[in-house]
Amino acid sequence: SMQLAKTVVIGQSWILGMCFLTKSSRLVVSTADRRVRFFDVHTWEQLVEVELQSPAFCVCSWTYGESELLALGNERGEVTVVDTSKGLKEVKSTGREKKHKKRPDYWNDSITKVVHDGWIEQMEMIEDLGGLVTCGADSAIVIFEYPFIPDPNHKDRIIPRRILKHARGHLKGVKCFQWVRSHKLIVSGGLEREVVIWNPYTCKPVVSLEGHQAGIAKVQVNSEFEQVISLSIDGVVKVWDLRHNECLQT
């Protein structure tokens, strides 16, 4: 049965993102006051609090070999990947840090690179695609190999494996995406009123599902029934059939 096990009070600031570190059993929560907090999921005690230079609007985690990695995305289009297995420092900002400084001092082992021109809305490590997938305000969905491949022409950037950006795709910011493993497709939504289905190998849209009257805030995949569920910012939920690309229910 679904029962409330614990309520953890974070503070007065908005919660922006959250993810689970599987190996270390820690919950990571990012908030609008530029803080990232780590909680032990067994005791729900706060273990570490880090104050960033910019809020982490999205977070995700994955394992690579013996390392447990945490990625943080901000409004400047930067992704910071932290090797949490190397340890964390409880260091707070003094307010004197240079704004252009890329690599935070709060982590023992981290790398920061620019991956989007503007806000990063969502990140996820998708092993089937061989890398980290991100979407952002520049209307692109980008797939990066990990470890990252440095761009020799721009030291603050990395070379993407694939970029999903097309005239028949998103022309405005991309808010969300989901990987459809059974069909080997990416489903995405954004400021337009359409759900876009992509072939990530050709980097081209397969079809756009029309029917929403407002921008798409979230998409979810129901693999068992081959369906996509989309939520628009006006509170409307639609269920789509992936086999026939049609709306089943609103």
Side-chain angles (χ1 to χ4, degrees):
S1 63
M2 298 291 290
Q3 294 182 348
L4 178 63
K6 182 73 173 180
T7 299
V8 180
V9 178
I10 303 297
Q12 300 299 315
S13 188
W14 288 88
I15 294 176
L16 301 177
M18 184 171 58
C19 70
F20 179 59
L21 301 178
T22 306
K23 290 180 67 175
S24 56
S25 298
R26 288 179 291 179
L27 183 70
V28 181
V29 180
S30 67
T31 51
D33 57 1
R34 298 184 290 113
R35 287 176 168 81
V36 176
R37 297 171 174 89
F38 295 75
F39 295 89
D40 185 317
V41 298
H42 301 296
T43 64
W44 293 110
E45 294 181 358
Q46 180 174 307
L47 303 175
V48 178
E49 177 182 312
V50 176
E51 186 172 355
L52 306 175
Q53 296 174 17
S54 298
F57 285 92
C58 54
V59 296
C60 72
S61 65
W62 70 95
T63 57
Y64 181 77
E66 296 299 318
S67 298
E68 189 167 37
L69 303 173
L70 170 68
L72 310 153
N74 65 24
E75 83 282 2
R76 297 197 297 263
E78 297 173 336
V79 168
T80 296
V81 177
V82 180
D83 186 346
T84 62
S85 61
K86 297 292 182 62
L88 299 167
K89 300 176 182 178
E90 189 170 359
V91 180
K92 293 188 177 181
S93 171
T94 64
R96 299 176 184 175
E97 294 84 356
K98 295 180 180 180
K99 292 184 179 179
H100 66 271
K101 187 177 181 181
K102 299 299 182 184
R103 185 185 187 280
D105 288 330
Y106 316 115
W107 320 105
N108 286 329
D109 190 337
S110 69
I111 181 174
T112 299
K113 295 293 182 181
V114 177
V115 299
H116 284 278
D117 296 321
W119 294 54
I120 300 176
E121 298 286 355
Q122 183 182 338
M123 301 183 297
E124 183 179 347
M125 173 58 70
I126 301 178
E127 300 291 347
D128 293 340
L129 295 175
L132 181 68
V133 183
T134 67
C135 69
D138 55 1
S139 72
I141 301 170
V142 189
I143 304 171
F144 297 94
E145 290 186 29
Y146 189 86
F148 295 144
I149 301 174
D151 188 335
N153 299 315
H154 303 88
K155 65 179 183 179
D156 62 337
R157 290 181 178 266
I158 52 180
I159 297 177
R161 185 172 187 175
R162 299 186 187 97
I163 300 177
L164 279 60
K165 190 171 184 177
H166 197 276
R168 292 187 289 108
H170 296 285
L171 300 180
K172 301 178 182 179
V174 186
K175 298 285 291 182
C176 54
F177 65 86
Q178 282 289 313
W179 170 240
V180 187
R181 177 175 292 177
S182 59
H183 291 63
K184 305 299 182 186
L185 299 170
I186 287 180
V187 179
S188 63
L191 297 180
E192 295 99 348
R193 295 170 291 181
E194 300 174 351
V195 175
V196 182
I197 299 178
W198 299 84
N199 181 330
Y201 304 102
T202 64
C203 302
K204 294 181 179 179
V206 176
V207 66
S208 294
L209 306 177
E210 301 179 358
H212 278 288
Q213 301 300 311
I216 311 300
K218 187 70 176 177
V219 291
Q220 189 65 48
V221 176
N222 183 346
S223 300
E224 182 180 356
F225 296 101
E226 298 184 88
Q227 297 172 346
V228 171
I229 303 165
S230 57
L231 168 66
S232 56
I233 58 176
D234 58 355
V236 174
V237 175
K238 287 183 175 290
V239 180
W240 308 87
D241 186 340
L242 269 175
R243 294 164 294 186
H244 304 292
N245 299 322
E246 61 183 11
C247 184
L248 299 176
Q249 188 176 358
T250 300

